[in-house]
């Protein structure tokens, strides 16, 4: 099955989105878990709205940053690279 550069780009974006989402979910779960273990006397307040905003921002920035590298790699011709720069 042949894949075009566009198909590879969509696959790479999906992978980045999946990894970023799982990373955020694991990080958020660990943060909430640690917050519940802290003593009540410790001055720590976890605001869920801020946590959600930061999590979404992280995912969006991660996907946007990956688009820059994906666009750059999509322009590379594999045949030219294999031939040592001679098309």
């Amino acid at each position: 099955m042949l894949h075009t550069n566009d198909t590879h780009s969509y696959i790479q974006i999906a992978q980045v989105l999946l990894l970023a989402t799982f990373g955020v979910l694991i990080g958020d779960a660990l943060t909430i878990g640690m917050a519940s273990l802290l003593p009540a006397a410790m001055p720590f307040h976890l605001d869920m709205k801020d946590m959600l905003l930061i999590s979404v921002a992280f995912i969006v920035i991660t996907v946007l940053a990956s688009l820059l590298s994906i666009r750059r790699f999509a322009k590379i011709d594999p045949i030219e690279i294999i031939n040592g720069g001679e098309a």
Side-chain angles (χ1 to χ4, degrees):
M1 180 166 156
L2 293 174
H3 293 289
T4 63
N5 280 344
D6 289 339
T7 305
H8 285 290
S9 296
Y10 291 128
I11 291 170
Q12 290 170 342
I13 292 168
Q15 289 176 351
V16 167
L17 184 61
L18 188 69
L19 287 171
T21 302
F22 277 127
V24 164
L25 290 175
I26 291 169
D28 287 352
L30 289 172
T31 301
I32 293 169
M34 287 299 294
S36 68
L37 295 176
L38 292 175
M42 183 164 290
F44 180 78
H45 174 71
L46 188 60
D47 186 20
M48 290 299 172
K49 282 193 249 181
D50 289 341
M51 192 168 159
L52 179 65
L53 178 67
I54 291 169
S55 298
V56 169
F58 177 81
I59 292 171
V60 169
I61 291 169
T62 302
V63 170
L64 290 175
S66 71
L67 288 174
L68 294 174
S69 64
I70 289 170
R71 190 181 83 190
R72 190 171 175 195
F73 286 122
K75 293 179 182 179
I76 296 173
D77 181 20
I79 300 298
E80 186 175 327
I81 299 299
I82 292 171
N83 289 334
E86 300 170 12

